Amino acid sequence: MKKFRSNKLAIFLFTFPALLLFIVFVFIPILQVFAYSFTKWNGISAPEFTGLKNYIRLFTDKVFYTSNKNMFIFAILVTVYQMVFATIFAIAVSDAKIKGRKFFRVAYFIPVVLSVTVVCQLWLSILNAESGLLNTMLRSLGIDFQQNWLSDRYKSIYAIAFVNAWQWMGYQFALIVAGIKTISTDYYEAAQIDGANAAIAHRKITIPLLAETYKSSLIIAITGGIKAFTEMYIMTKGGPGTSTYTLAYMMYSSAFRSKEYGYGLAAASMLVLECLAAIIVINAVFKSNDLDAVKKKKRRLFA
Amino acid sequence: MKTKFSIGRLVFSIFLWLYAAFSLYPLIWMVFYSFKNNNEIFVTNPYGIPKVFHFENYVNAWSKYDVPTYFFNSVIVAAATVIITLFCALLFSYATSRMEFKGKTTLRIFLSIGMFIPVQAILIPVVKIVQGLSLSNTRWSLIFPYVAINLAFSCMIYYGFFKGIPLELEEAACMDGANIYQTFFKIIVPLVRPATATLAIYVFLAAWNEFILANVLVGSNAALKTLPLGVLFFQGQFTTDWGGMGATMVIASLPAILVYIIFSDKVEKAMTIGGAVKG
């Protein structure tokens, strides 16, 4: 039996394919991102070491600040939109008294399974300034609120963030539905006996007990803002000017448009670091506050 | 008090229906306009059911705009990604969860780094590596990176599954004289079928809808483009044929929507364990 479980050849054959692919296509690339971010490289000839030059340039580049500002707008809008709607809808479909629960689940979730390009192309035709569905609708309703949704220097980022929030709301919704399933119904019965109505019961029980779920949701929403790329690429090309750039878009355009790979990789390494920082900060915040509170709450409920 | 409560309930359920409409209508609108001509889309009937169904939009999409090529590429790439990812992940997580060797925890943790690395960040080096291995302009240029990206998550899920199976299982097989390979394929693989099904859906959807890597790896090669890229093709050359674009988008979305409608619980589960693990 011992021999069976420590068969050297079998261990090698079993681990080798996965390790090989992972090392070649993920691990080496991530090392290269950091290594080449200290070089000047046009993608063809050998990279030339330039120390911190790319980073100094990055930190003095106006586009870098635009990108980070957009990241914040994107992350905050997406997070607020998704958390609010997803929580409301998840609580609603978890309530056996609501009719059409199955339909609601499908309706809210379905944009998630679509390709981002289809969703962007679709919203592109809805938000088009001249012929778009939204402006046509506003015009025929006689509402004077037609906008250049995607070609306005200040508003476009909100329109883009909205499209992302619209598509992925269903994802957060499904996460929270799964979280609610794990909460014991005893809590609600206890709350009812104490005279709490449904709204209070959810505020005092459901939401605090979903701390773990909210932590994952928050990480997904915020790192989503840092990584945002496809929406900009399809709907605005980063424009007008550079007003809808994000770090990922900045990396893409430095590398594949202006052939400054080293500079693009400096942006890419900032992207990785910002994602990691977000994960660490969110974990730390949840560890110090909510989880203690939840434990106390659980104890109180049982007492 | 009682009436106020039920009015609240009514308002609440109207709100649920409104958002459902808001979530679905853009898709329904897309299906509508895939059957319309430009005049109907922009002037006579922008919102509703087509007055005349222009099925020729689908015929055009299929015969004029290379949609069969994109569709074929998407099917090949997604299928190969699912098969190779699950095969590698099964083997790897079996070894790291149930076999005995030094450094197995290190190996497992090493591979799980993959979950924290955004595709966007490694885009440039992956392109260079694909070129270096002379994989450019082949479907492998997409399949290998897709497999590598999906491995970390797949291994994690399988690992959890294997940990829940009692070790005596293989002991019995071993007593009966089976070797490790027979045990693995005859006993272990069938046993983790539920995890395999969930992961297959997850990886399929990820590969079917992937855009960022496909865009730089095969974006300039019309013969290898996948459907998400095919949809964008209309931005340049065929902006006059909106109906044809709608038809292409419907064709591109249909497989994913069908998978979701048939396996809706499994899809939601597959996607959400992905999220929960990342936290």
Side-chain angles (χ1 to χ4, degrees), chain A residues 238-260:
Chain A
T242 54
S243 63
T244 53
Y245 265 55
T246 56
L247 267 183
Y249 199 84
M250 194 180 175
M251 171 215 78
Y252 174 86
S253 86
S254 312
F256 298 105
R257 296 235 175 88
S258 37
K259 301 286 167 205
E260 296 179 296

mmCIF file of all heavy atoms in Angstrom, chain A residues 238-260:
data_model
loop_
_atom_site.group_PDB
_atom_site.id
_atom_site.type_symbol
_atom_site.label_atom_id
_atom_site.label_comp_id
_atom_site.label_asym_id
_atom_site.label_seq_id
_atom_site.Cartn_x
_atom_site.Cartn_y
_atom_site.Cartn_z
ATOM 1 N N GLY A 238 -10.725 53.895 -24.755
ATOM 2 C CA GLY A 238 -9.997 54.682 -23.765
ATOM 3 C C GLY A 238 -10.329 56.164 -23.812
ATOM 4 O O GLY A 238 -9.926 56.933 -22.966
ATOM 5 N N GLY A 239 -11.092 56.580 -24.826
ATOM 6 C CA GLY A 239 -11.317 57.994 -25.035
ATOM 7 C C GLY A 239 -12.613 58.490 -24.451
ATOM 8 O O GLY A 239 -13.268 57.754 -23.723
ATOM 9 N N PRO A 240 -13.033 59.714 -24.689
ATOM 10 C CA PRO A 240 -12.310 60.673 -25.526
ATOM 11 C C PRO A 240 -10.955 61.063 -24.912
ATOM 12 O O PRO A 240 -10.874 61.246 -23.712
ATOM 13 C CB PRO A 240 -13.239 61.878 -25.592
ATOM 14 C CG PRO A 240 -14.275 61.658 -24.568
ATOM 15 C CD PRO A 240 -14.294 60.228 -24.198
ATOM 16 N N GLY A 241 -9.952 61.204 -25.757
ATOM 17 C CA GLY A 241 -8.583 61.442 -25.284
ATOM 18 C C GLY A 241 -8.131 60.234 -24.483
ATOM 19 O O GLY A 241 -8.182 59.115 -24.971
ATOM 20 N N THR A 242 -7.730 60.474 -23.232
ATOM 21 C CA THR A 242 -7.366 59.357 -22.365
ATOM 22 C C THR A 242 -8.324 59.278 -21.185
ATOM 23 O O THR A 242 -8.014 58.694 -20.159
ATOM 24 C CB THR A 242 -5.934 59.507 -21.837
ATOM 25 O OG1 THR A 242 -5.840 60.796 -21.212
ATOM 26 C CG2 THR A 242 -4.904 59.393 -22.934
ATOM 27 N N SER A 243 -9.516 59.860 -21.335
ATOM 28 C CA SER A 243 -10.377 60.033 -20.156
ATOM 29 C C SER A 243 -10.953 58.739 -19.604
ATOM 30 O O SER A 243 -11.387 58.705 -18.464
ATOM 31 C CB SER A 243 -11.510 61.014 -20.467
ATOM 32 O OG SER A 243 -12.324 60.482 -21.486
ATOM 33 N N THR A 244 -10.998 57.648 -20.390
ATOM 34 C CA THR A 244 -11.500 56.398 -19.807
ATOM 35 C C THR A 244 -10.411 55.326 -19.739
ATOM 36 O O THR A 244 -10.695 54.144 -19.747
ATOM 37 C CB THR A 244 -12.725 55.850 -20.570
ATOM 38 O OG1 THR A 244 -12.396 55.760 -21.956
ATOM 39 C CG2 THR A 244 -13.932 56.729 -20.403
ATOM 40 N N TYR A 245 -9.155 55.745 -19.633
ATOM 41 C CA TYR A 245 -8.069 54.780 -19.453
ATOM 42 C C TYR A 245 -8.158 54.121 -18.080
ATOM 43 O O TYR A 245 -8.598 54.727 -17.112
ATOM 44 C CB TYR A 245 -6.717 55.488 -19.565
ATOM 45 C CG TYR A 245 -6.111 55.416 -20.956
ATOM 46 C CD1 TYR A 245 -6.834 55.848 -22.051
ATOM 47 C CD2 TYR A 245 -4.832 54.913 -21.154
ATOM 48 C CE1 TYR A 245 -6.290 55.780 -23.328
ATOM 49 C CE2 TYR A 245 -4.277 54.852 -22.427
ATOM 50 C CZ TYR A 245 -5.008 55.278 -23.507
ATOM 51 O OH TYR A 245 -4.465 55.217 -24.759
ATOM 52 N N THR A 246 -7.744 52.854 -18.019
ATOM 53 C CA THR A 246 -7.499 52.192 -16.744
ATOM 54 C C THR A 246 -6.090 51.646 -16.823
ATOM 55 O O THR A 246 -5.474 51.686 -17.889
ATOM 56 C CB THR A 246 -8.449 51.013 -16.526
ATOM 57 O OG1 THR A 246 -8.307 50.136 -17.637
ATOM 58 C CG2 THR A 246 -9.892 51.453 -16.407
ATOM 59 N N LEU A 247 -5.591 51.091 -15.719
ATOM 60 C CA LEU A 247 -4.232 50.547 -15.740
ATOM 61 C C LEU A 247 -4.078 49.483 -16.812
ATOM 62 O O LEU A 247 -3.092 49.459 -17.546
ATOM 63 C CB LEU A 247 -3.902 49.929 -14.385
ATOM 64 C CG LEU A 247 -3.217 50.839 -13.392
ATOM 65 C CD1 LEU A 247 -2.909 50.055 -12.139
ATOM 66 C CD2 LEU A 247 -1.942 51.435 -13.982
ATOM 67 N N ALA A 248 -5.085 48.583 -16.909
ATOM 68 C CA ALA A 248 -4.992 47.509 -17.900
ATOM 69 C C ALA A 248 -4.986 48.084 -19.312
ATOM 70 O O ALA A 248 -4.251 47.625 -20.177
ATOM 71 C CB ALA A 248 -6.141 46.526 -17.722
ATOM 72 N N TYR A 249 -5.795 49.127 -19.521
ATOM 73 C CA TYR A 249 -5.842 49.724 -20.849
ATOM 74 C C TYR A 249 -4.534 50.448 -21.161
ATOM 75 O O TYR A 249 -4.027 50.404 -22.268
ATOM 76 C CB TYR A 249 -7.023 50.694 -20.965
ATOM 77 C CG TYR A 249 -7.362 50.962 -22.411
ATOM 78 C CD1 TYR A 249 -8.189 50.104 -23.113
ATOM 79 C CD2 TYR A 249 -6.797 52.038 -23.091
ATOM 80 C CE1 TYR A 249 -8.462 50.307 -24.446
ATOM 81 C CE2 TYR A 249 -7.070 52.252 -24.430
ATOM 82 C CZ TYR A 249 -7.906 51.383 -25.101
ATOM 83 O OH TYR A 249 -8.170 51.582 -26.429
ATOM 84 N N MET A 250 -3.981 51.080 -20.133
ATOM 85 C CA MET A 250 -2.719 51.794 -20.289
ATOM 86 C C MET A 250 -1.614 50.817 -20.681
ATOM 87 O O MET A 250 -0.817 51.079 -21.587
ATOM 88 C CB MET A 250 -2.385 52.434 -18.941
ATOM 89 C CG MET A 250 -1.328 53.464 -18.991
ATOM 90 S SD MET A 250 -1.078 54.099 -17.319
ATOM 91 C CE MET A 250 0.320 55.159 -17.672
ATOM 92 N N MET A 251 -1.607 49.663 -19.990
ATOM 93 C CA MET A 251 -0.629 48.627 -20.298
ATOM 94 C C MET A 251 -0.793 48.166 -21.743
ATOM 95 O O MET A 251 0.176 48.071 -22.490
ATOM 96 C CB MET A 251 -0.832 47.455 -19.344
ATOM 97 C CG MET A 251 -0.035 46.249 -19.685
ATOM 98 S SD MET A 251 -0.951 44.742 -19.292
ATOM 99 C CE MET A 251 -2.060 44.661 -20.671
ATOM 100 N N TYR A 252 -2.035 47.923 -22.138
ATOM 101 C CA TYR A 252 -2.302 47.438 -23.493
ATOM 102 C C TYR A 252 -1.829 48.443 -24.527
ATOM 103 O O TYR A 252 -1.128 48.096 -25.474
ATOM 104 C CB TYR A 252 -3.800 47.180 -23.656
ATOM 105 C CG TYR A 252 -4.195 46.801 -25.065
ATOM 106 C CD1 TYR A 252 -4.139 45.484 -25.482
ATOM 107 C CD2 TYR A 252 -4.596 47.778 -25.983
ATOM 108 C CE1 TYR A 252 -4.484 45.129 -26.772
ATOM 109 C CE2 TYR A 252 -4.936 47.435 -27.277
ATOM 110 C CZ TYR A 252 -4.877 46.108 -27.673
ATOM 111 O OH TYR A 252 -5.213 45.769 -28.952
ATOM 112 N N SER A 253 -2.164 49.704 -24.321
ATOM 113 C CA SER A 253 -1.843 50.649 -25.384
ATOM 114 C C SER A 253 -0.351 50.979 -25.408
ATOM 115 O O SER A 253 0.205 51.179 -26.479
ATOM 116 C CB SER A 253 -2.738 51.885 -25.317
ATOM 117 O OG SER A 253 -2.206 52.821 -24.447
ATOM 118 N N SER A 254 0.319 50.987 -24.234
ATOM 119 C CA SER A 254 1.776 51.206 -24.268
ATOM 120 C C SER A 254 2.459 50.089 -25.032
ATOM 121 O O SER A 254 3.371 50.328 -25.819
ATOM 122 C CB SER A 254 2.383 51.240 -22.871
ATOM 123 O OG SER A 254 1.667 52.062 -22.040
ATOM 124 N N ALA A 255 2.026 48.841 -24.774
ATOM 125 C CA ALA A 255 2.727 47.718 -25.376
ATOM 126 C C ALA A 255 2.352 47.534 -26.840
ATOM 127 O O ALA A 255 3.218 47.475 -27.705
ATOM 128 C CB ALA A 255 2.441 46.442 -24.595
ATOM 129 N N PHE A 256 1.048 47.442 -27.111
ATOM 130 C CA PHE A 256 0.658 47.020 -28.449
ATOM 131 C C PHE A 256 0.433 48.182 -29.413
ATOM 132 O O PHE A 256 0.360 47.978 -30.600
ATOM 133 C CB PHE A 256 -0.564 46.114 -28.380
ATOM 134 C CG PHE A 256 -0.293 44.852 -27.606
ATOM 135 C CD1 PHE A 256 -0.792 44.681 -26.326
ATOM 136 C CD2 PHE A 256 0.498 43.857 -28.158
ATOM 137 C CE1 PHE A 256 -0.517 43.520 -25.611
ATOM 138 C CE2 PHE A 256 0.778 42.700 -27.455
ATOM 139 C CZ PHE A 256 0.263 42.530 -26.171
ATOM 140 N N ARG A 257 0.307 49.406 -28.903
ATOM 141 C CA ARG A 257 0.169 50.526 -29.831
ATOM 142 C C ARG A 257 1.492 51.247 -29.987
ATOM 143 O O ARG A 257 1.985 51.398 -31.077
ATOM 144 C CB ARG A 257 -0.899 51.505 -29.332
ATOM 145 C CG ARG A 257 -2.278 50.894 -29.282
ATOM 146 C CD ARG A 257 -3.306 51.693 -30.059
ATOM 147 N NE ARG A 257 -4.567 50.979 -30.054
ATOM 148 C CZ ARG A 257 -5.488 51.109 -29.089
ATOM 149 N NH1 ARG A 257 -5.291 51.936 -28.080
ATOM 150 N NH2 ARG A 257 -6.609 50.410 -29.145
ATOM 151 N N SER A 258 2.097 51.685 -28.856
ATOM 152 C CA SER A 258 3.331 52.456 -29.023
ATOM 153 C C SER A 258 4.586 51.611 -28.849
ATOM 154 O O SER A 258 5.690 52.141 -28.839
ATOM 155 C CB SER A 258 3.335 53.671 -28.088
ATOM 156 O OG SER A 258 2.748 53.367 -26.859
ATOM 157 N N LYS A 259 4.425 50.282 -28.745
ATOM 158 C CA LYS A 259 5.563 49.348 -28.697
ATOM 159 C C LYS A 259 6.538 49.637 -27.554
ATOM 160 O O LYS A 259 7.731 49.414 -27.675
ATOM 161 C CB LYS A 259 6.328 49.346 -30.033
ATOM 162 C CG LYS A 259 5.484 48.951 -31.231
ATOM 163 C CD LYS A 259 5.197 47.462 -31.248
ATOM 164 C CE LYS A 259 4.098 47.136 -32.256
ATOM 165 N NZ LYS A 259 3.365 45.919 -31.961
ATOM 166 N N GLU A 260 6.026 50.219 -26.461
ATOM 167 C CA GLU A 260 6.883 50.416 -25.285
ATOM 168 C C GLU A 260 6.550 49.322 -24.285
ATOM 169 O O GLU A 260 5.800 49.536 -23.343
ATOM 170 C CB GLU A 260 6.629 51.788 -24.677
ATOM 171 C CG GLU A 260 7.007 52.921 -25.603
ATOM 172 C CD GLU A 260 6.715 54.272 -24.980
ATOM 173 O OE1 GLU A 260 5.540 54.576 -24.734
ATOM 174 O OE2 GLU A 260 7.679 55.003 -24.739
#
